[in-house]
Amino acid sequence: MTADYYLPPRDYVGYGSESRPGVWPGGKKIAVSFVLNYEEGAESTPWNGDDGSCPSLHELHYDRKATTGGKRDGLVEDMFEYGIRQGLPRLLKLFRQYGWKWTTWTCARAFEVTGPYPKMLVEDGHEIACHGNRWQNHGTNLEEVKAHIHRSFDRLQAATGLSDVPTGWFVGSGHQSIKLGRATVHRERNVPLLYCSDTYSGDEPYWAPDPYAEVYGGEDKGMLMIPYSLCTNDHLFFVAGGAGVSAPDDWYEMLKAEFDALYAEGERGQAKMMTIAMHNRFVCKPGRIQSLRKFMAYIATKPDVWVCTRREIASFWREKYPYEQVGPTYKLHSEHLAQ
C-alpha cells in the first residue's frame, strides 16, 4: 500500500553556525513578514454545523467551557464577530498608512461569510494564502485531508475571483498527511504551491523534498519551507498560565527585542526573517493595537528593512536558491542527520 505521508529526516543543523550570508534583495538586513490569521466565521459553532462552540482563543477561553449538543454560545460568537466588524477595518487603515502588505492565512469558510472584505484585501494587495478550510482539524487520513484542501480552493477562489490562490499554507497541525495532501492537491488543481509555513525550526527559509515525489515518484520539485513563530504572535494576549502578555507595551517589547536581535545578525551579514502573527479579534482591540502601531513606527525608522509578504520571500528564494541547484537543506550535512 502506498504511504499516505512523508516525513523528511530530522535536521538539527540547518545551515550550520554561520547561516547564509546576506540573503535579502538589495542587501536588506531583515525580512519582516506580517501575517493575518483570518479565522472569524470558520470557528467551531453549531451555526457552522458543529456539535458545539469554539473552546479556545477567545477572551473567555480560560474558564468558559465549550457548549455541546448543538447549543450555540452567543458570547463566543460575538467575540469572533468583533474581529471582522471592528478589528479588521482598524488593521486595514493602519497598514494603508505605511503602504505595507501582509500575508492572509485564511480559513476558507471565513471568506464566505465576511461580506466585502475578501475582495477588499485583494484590492489592497494583501497575499491570499490558506489556514485551512475551517478553523479545526482537517481529517484523520489523507483522503479526508485532501477533501478539506479541495474545499479550501473552491471557497478562496470563489470569494476572491482569483484562480492562483492559495499561494501557500499554514494550518498549525502536526498531522503527518498535511504536507502530502497539499502537494497532491496543488498538482491536481494546477496551482503552484509556493511555500509551506507549517514549521517552527528556523529564522530563514529552507528546502525540503517534495512529499508527492517521495511517495508517488516523479520529478522532485522541492517544498519551500518558510518558518512561522509563536514568540511574536499576538495569541500571547490569550495564553493562560502566566506564559503570555497582558499590557500592550509587553508585546511591543517582545517584538522590538526580537527585531533588534535579528537586525543585528543582518548587520553582521547573516540576514534573517521575522514573523509578526496577528488575529483580527486579538491585537486589533483599541488598546492592544497600540503595540502594533508603535512597533511599525519603530521599524519604519530603520534602514534596510524589507517588509514583505511570504509570496515575495518565496519568489526571491526560489530565484536565488533554486531547488534544482541546491536541493534539500538537510543534505548540506547529511552525515550529521538524526536517525
Side-chain angles (χ1 to χ4, degrees):
M1 184 178 70
T2 303
D4 68 351
Y5 68 93
Y6 166 73
L7 297 176
R10 298 198 69 183
D11 179 5
Y12 288 93
V13 181
Y15 294 115
S17 61
E18 296 306 315
S19 192
R20 284 194 179 275
V23 297
W24 301 126
K28 301 294 186 184
K29 295 180 174 64
I30 186 172
V32 177
S33 168
F34 290 92
V35 173
L36 177 63
N37 293 267
Y38 197 116
E39 300 159 347
E40 295 84 2
E43 76 277 8
S44 293
T45 167
W47 182 77
N48 272 330
D50 304 306
D51 179 67
S53 62
C54 185
S56 63
L57 292 183
H58 56 74
E59 300 285 349
L60 293 175
H61 76 98
Y62 54 89
D63 69 352
R64 190 176 185 86
K65 292 183 179 180
T67 62
T68 59
K71 182 179 179 181
R72 292 171 63 178
D73 188 329
L75 289 182
V76 172
E77 290 182 7
D78 286 349
M79 293 175 197
F80 278 87
E81 289 167 14
Y82 180 96
I84 303 301
R85 291 172 56 166
Q86 300 291 158
L88 181 55
R90 190 171 285 137
L91 193 66
L92 283 166
K93 292 172 185 175
L94 176 58
F95 271 75
R96 286 168 183 164
Q97 293 177 20
Y98 290 91
W100 293 350
K101 314 302 179 188
W102 67 62
T103 294
T104 317
W105 280 342
T106 316
C107 292
R109 166 63 173 161
F111 264 17
E112 281 189 330
V113 298
T114 50
Y117 290 111
K119 290 188 176 178
M120 191 177 298
L121 296 185
V122 173
E123 292 169 357
D124 276 16
H126 300 296
E127 178 190 355
I128 308 300
C130 196
H131 195 26
N133 176 39
R134 295 279 310 284
W135 193 48
Q136 55 183 208
N137 290 331
H138 294 90
T140 58
N141 58 60
L142 181 60
E143 291 309 309
E144 290 180 359
V145 166
K146 286 176 58 181
H148 273 282
I149 294 171
H150 274 294
R151 192 74 178 104
S152 299
F153 272 76
D154 294 340
R155 284 172 157 162
L156 291 179
Q157 292 182 0
T160 63
L162 301 175
S163 61
D164 60 349
V165 297
T167 53
W169 288 76
F170 170 79
V171 172
S173 168
H175 193 291
Q176 56 195 15
S177 295
I178 287 285
K179 294 183 179 69
L180 176 59
R182 292 172 191 158
T184 302
V185 173
H186 272 265
R187 285 180 180 237
E188 293 173 355
R189 305 287 291 241
N190 197 30
V191 174
L193 175 56
L194 301 183
Y195 64 89
C196 173
S197 284
D198 275 303
T199 173
Y200 300 90
S201 62
D203 295 315
E204 55 199 323
Y206 65 92
W207 283 106
D210 179 355
Y212 184 95
E214 293 292 327
V215 172
Y216 301 115
E219 181 183 2
D220 179 8
K221 298 182 179 180
M223 177 174 280
L224 182 61
M225 308 300 294
I226 301 182
Y228 190 44
S229 173
L230 295 177
C231 295
T232 47
N233 189 315
D234 67 351
H235 88 296
L236 291 177
F237 285 113
F238 287 0
V239 172
V245 299
S246 55
D249 277 351
D250 292 339
W251 197 55
Y252 166 74
E253 292 296 336
M254 177 73 77
L255 296 182
K256 181 179 180 297
E258 183 128 343
F259 174 87
D260 288 344
L262 294 174
Y263 189 86
E265 291 183 16
E267 290 184 311
R268 295 192 294 269
Q270 297 179 355
K272 301 296 197 305
M273 63 171 289
M274 177 181 179
T275 298
I276 298 94
M278 310 174 295
H279 297 71
N280 292 311
R281 66 192 182 280
F282 293 8
V283 76
C284 296
K285 291 285 186 174
R288 292 174 184 155
I289 202 168
Q290 302 312 313
S291 58
L292 183 61
R293 187 185 307 275
K294 188 175 178 180
F295 176 73
M296 293 170 71
Y298 175 69
I299 68 173
T301 68
K302 298 289 186 178
D304 298 324
V305 175
W306 185 32
V307 177
C308 54
T309 64
R310 278 166 137 72
R311 175 174 52 197
E312 291 174 304
I313 291 174
S315 177
F316 174 80
W317 203 269
R318 287 173 172 276
E319 181 177 351
K320 188 172 181 64
Y321 303 113
Y323 187 74
E324 295 78 9
Q325 296 181 16
V326 303
T329 303
Y330 73 79
K331 287 190 175 181
L332 293 173
H333 44 79
S334 56
E335 69 277 12
H336 298 301
L337 289 178
Q339 300 301 320

